[in-house]
Amino acid sequence: MFQQTLRKLNTSKFASKQNSKKQQAGDQQSAPKPLVDPFLDRIFLQASEIETSAKKSCCFSTKAGSFEKSESQRPSEVDSIRLQEILRKNHALNGNAFGDKGSSALEIPAGEIITEQKLEQEKIGLHETETIKLLEIQSTATPKDLLLPDANIESAATAVAAEHVVDMKSKKMVEAKTQTMNLQVKQKSTMTTPLLSRDVECEATVWDLFDATMDQGETSRKEELNPKFISLPWCETGRRESQGEEQKAPQLGKSAMVIERFLASNLYKSQQAMYFGQSAKIDDKKRTTRFQYELCPLWTYHSAATKNKSVLNLAWNTTNSNILAVAYGQFLLSEDKQGGLVCCWSTKNLTQPERCYPFEHSVSALAFSLNSQLLVVGLQDGKIIVLDVSHAEKKAIVQASLKNGGHVGPVWVLKSVQWTHGEAIVSAGEDGQLLIWSLNLSRIGRFFARIPISLQKKEKVGAADMMDEVPIQEVFSILDFSVSNGADPLILVATKEGYLLEVEMELQIQRVVRAHLGPIYKVQVSPFCWQLALTAGADGKVLLWARSKKDAPILSLAVSASAVVCAEWSPSFSTIVACASGTFLSIWDLARKTHEPVTKVNIGAALTSLVFSPDGMNVLVGDRTGKIHVHSLQDMPYKPLMPVEALLKAIPGLVLL
Amino acid sequence: MAAEVEETLKRIQSHKGVFGTIVVNSEGIPIKTTMDNTSTVQYAGLVSQLADKARSVVRDLDPTNDLTFLRVRTKKHEIMLAPDKDYILIVIQNPSD
């Protein structure tokens, strides 16, 4: 109805049948009930504000004030008197609610009938009426500060409101928002034990990020998530640690090993420096160098495990020149069988062997394979075992014994050679066999040092007449062999009976030479000249053999009265030979003098084996008490520029083919 | 601990010139020691910090690199430490030279 009123007002045309009709409608509605509805009154009056205070305004369409014009049928006529009466009535009933009595916007002189023409003549003015409150609902909320019990609360409504405010925290009040799901939430609290909290700091550095990218998908991330934060500090840290320790024990072991090396090198710093050739003994008297060929004792490799055993063999690792494998066992076959040992010593840890492998039998031969992880070991009972040195526990990879065509007696020498297709291991033993094995110990070739009598008779050299009288075939035990690689390759085989055999590569004996009066302990081809070889025999002599001279040595070195157990060419100096006999270690320089050694040192114990360090500046000798003495060669002359020429110059009888 | 590692540590302890061996776990708590309590705790705390600092130096310079050993030579002796993710092995030696 209000809307209708407005529309009507806006048209401001009175003379319309519609208006009148509406008036009539309004009349009919309200005529029987002239009740005062305060609400509607207010609307009515407000409408009067908006509208032009047209005198004719038959537009009051409220029920109460609706014009009961009823009587006059003329559309545009309003009984002004009647209207005013109504208004006054309303005033009286509603009292203050209306405000002033001058609220009616209509000023219609009494008794006058307003016509349309009159309206047009008249001026229409707009007045603003007083503000009339149409609707007022008292607020029942009171500000908080007014919550004083003795506050002057006038209306009952506010008293109730105060009650409610006090009760705010009770469940009667619910805060709700419109247009949202109002979930009824209830807060409840329970008693708990105090929560443990611990402050932990964490720093993410550049390399933490790097680690994280590297470890994506790796198991180490799982270790990171390991309960370092979850575990409580007071519960069994010991147990957890012990479990963790087992996991990290290999790392710890490795670090411990390196630290041991540090410790040892701290004690033996100067010796190690001398070994590696780092100590420059700059002498003021350098001008008058005398080349004394000094043998300075550096250190000794020994440990509790090697105490009662003799050093039988020494072998350097093929790739890592700091690792030395040593075979321990019984020197004399008559000694008590105590078992053998293979130790790997390092030049960096002088107090403890890095690897220790025990065996039931004495170890008589060993060699590193060309791929340096494998160590081939020959035992006194004829077994050949391939070991993996990278593990600390003895891990035999392959094993060859008599069953797979091995040796009958002790294996005296093992060598790793380059064969036709790959690498081969050559073993020689007491039974006179020279066997060629592949790396997985399957036999490739075989040579039998069996010498037919006819050959003996033909080629016999020296005073061994006894040989003629024995008309049988003889098998010679092989103590050592050496391969001479050159234009005409040969294998030189040293036998226990004192014969030096020249064997062709097809494993046929070419020649037999009577070399020494006793067993030949060592034969070695010079690393600089393939036509030159040395042999060391039990008769105390070291003989030099050349290809040019068939049946006799070209040079003889009288080393000592006792047997020369070992002799070796220096790998760097073409004319230097080291010999071990009795308890003496002697160095011979063929370029200087051949009637006596240039240096001789008494080690103190019976020597059994000898080896040069790979750079040729140090000599290692093993003795019968299980010790290995390391000596450094100092005050040496310069290496010859042309080693073969130096040899030719040194040995007068040497003629190269 | 594994027997071999135990043996190696024993050998280190009885090495000439060594007067202390300490194994510290990743949290800085010494788990194995041959020195008295106060020195152990002191060494463990200080050395862990040093190892961390040294490692951060190495890795900041090149993240692919990592610290393997640290040797501190002093007037009186030498401190050797092998730091790792899970432990630090500290050995104090008095080299006779």
Side-chain angles (χ1 to χ4, degrees), chain A residues 435-485:
Chain A
L435 300 170
I436 303 164
W437 310 82
S438 69
L439 260 186
N440 56 358
L441 287 186
S442 60
R443 212 169 73 180
I444 309 176
R446 188 181 119 147
F447 162 74
F448 220 172
R450 192 190 284 127
I451 300 170
I453 305 163
S454 57
L455 211 56
Q456 281 176 16
K457 275 204 174 139
K458 234 194 325 180
E459 313 285 349
K460 86 169 153 67
V461 181
D465 298 310
M466 286 196 314
M467 295 299 291
D468 291 344
E469 291 161 11
V470 181
I472 51 169
Q473 258 191 0
E474 238 185 303
V475 173
F476 297 130
S477 316
I478 303 174
L479 289 182
D480 198 9
F481 71 91
S482 179
V483 181
S484 141
N485 279 318

Side-chain angles (χ1 to χ4, degrees), chain A residues 514-549:
Chain A
R514 180 71 154 156
H516 290 265
L517 281 172
I520 310 175
Y521 286 122
K522 187 89 191 222
V523 62
Q524 192 187 11
V525 175
S526 166
F528 294 97
C529 177
W530 59 274
Q531 298 185 24
L532 188 63
L534 66 74
T535 60
D539 53 0
K541 289 209 195 88
V542 169
L543 302 174
L544 293 175
W545 302 81
R547 286 287 189 93
S548 52
K549 197 164 176 191

